[in-house]
Amino acid sequence: MSTRRLRGITWNHSRAFPPLVAASQRYEELHPSIRIHWEKRTLDEFGHAGLAELARSFDLLIIDHPMLGEVHRDGTLLDLKPHIEPNAITRLQEDALGPCLESYWYESRLYALPVDAAAPAASYRPDLLDNIGRTPPETWDQLIELARTGTVRMPGFPADLFLNFLGMCATRRGLIETEDQFLDPACAFLCLEELRELASFMPPEIYTMNPIDIYEAMSSRDDFAYCPFAYTYSNYSRPGFAQHTLLFANPVSLRDGTRLRTILGGTGIAVSARCGATVEAIEFCLFVSGRECQSHIYGPCGGQPGSKSAWQDRLLNAASNDFFERTMASIQSAHVRPRYAGYIELQRTAGIAIAAFLRGEINTGRAIDRIEELYIRSRKVARREKEPV
């Protein structure tokens, strides 16, 4: 019996690597002629580095949905739709969590299957809040009052600032997203001013912190107790993973009473257009994204599944202090990011202007102008798209 080997690439965290290895191990036991080897890269590389070079070396790629415009332009990944039975796609649609599956459709092509779901949500140390006689805030004004105590942090890494700002704008219907305009100026002004007020109570270290940094710090230090929005990692809500267990909750409501709508994250599993074992690769994609693997292998091994049934699973919730039940609404209402070719550079750079604004280096108008300039530049890249190969 000949052995078919598949190489995969994901990002470097316990939410990403161990569940894929566990799923692959079980798949190999069920299919003795298959061997699957996984490698990993940094979170920043996952979110912002192009896929073209990776697709030359790897058969299976864990990807972020905003990359699909470039994927479509460059012919990097396989369109899975012609290779999957319609009833299998129907099953995936029936078990889809919010827009997770929808986010991997682009120009009528299906470029990945969701294996992981995430969106920014609130998190906190219940013991530290108890120590200061506080409960998790429910409204923006309560959040500001808690921030005044010096016990609130948010990720200030540029991409995270940008995406959380987008969530605030999306909540207020302030994302225009036409060819020549990105934001409603009045909405953008209000959201930036609110972020500045919130950031004014936080130390400069936040500008180097991504969500993992926030969770590692909050679960190991005692100097802050609450984060209002960061892409979630259920691992920190599982007893024994970190020194102190975190609890998660849906984000606060804004001042008009509307619950903050956040920006969809998560990941999908894709197949390189250069893969020499297409049938085997797609079969594994269907296995790892299926409800049985998602609920009983992927989730229990530290993953944050992309399957609705897994998020509703009683045992997964019991093992994670009800993380999935507590934050499911933030996924279901999440806004899907732009996916045109050129968007990734906007996501990478626009937050730099927001950070400069929050630190008082530029004013509100200049920050908005800079984001719009970067958006227009990114759209010019989209207009230069080539026909897919």
Side-chain angles (χ1 to χ4, degrees), residues 147-206:
R148 291 182 192 279
T149 69
T151 59
V152 175
R153 302 286 187 275
M154 65 180 177
F157 192 74
D160 292 288
L161 285 178
F162 175 64
L163 293 172
N164 287 325
F165 165 69
L166 285 196
M168 296 173 71
C169 291
T171 305
R172 294 184 166 114
R173 300 174 186 247
L175 296 182
I176 307 299
E177 297 186 81
T178 60
E179 285 288 320
D180 54 6
Q181 185 178 359
F182 187 40
L183 304 167
D184 173 80
C187 176
F189 186 95
L190 174 60
C191 293
L192 284 174
E193 289 294 332
E194 288 179 334
L195 271 179
R196 178 163 63 179
E197 181 183 20
L198 179 60
S200 70
F201 303 109
M202 300 181 191
E205 71 167 343
I206 67 166

Side-chain angles (χ1 to χ4, degrees), residues 237-255:
S237 196
R238 305 187 193 212
F241 181 78
Q243 182 179 352
H244 297 281
T245 300
L246 307 182
L247 296 185
F248 287 78
N250 289 312
V252 300
S253 298
L254 297 181
R255 285 185 167 123

Side-chain angles (χ1 to χ4, degrees), residues 260-279:
L260 178 61
R261 185 183 183 193
T262 53
I263 304 298
L264 185 68
T267 69
I269 187 167
V271 177
S272 168
R274 293 172 173 257
C275 178
T278 298
V279 172

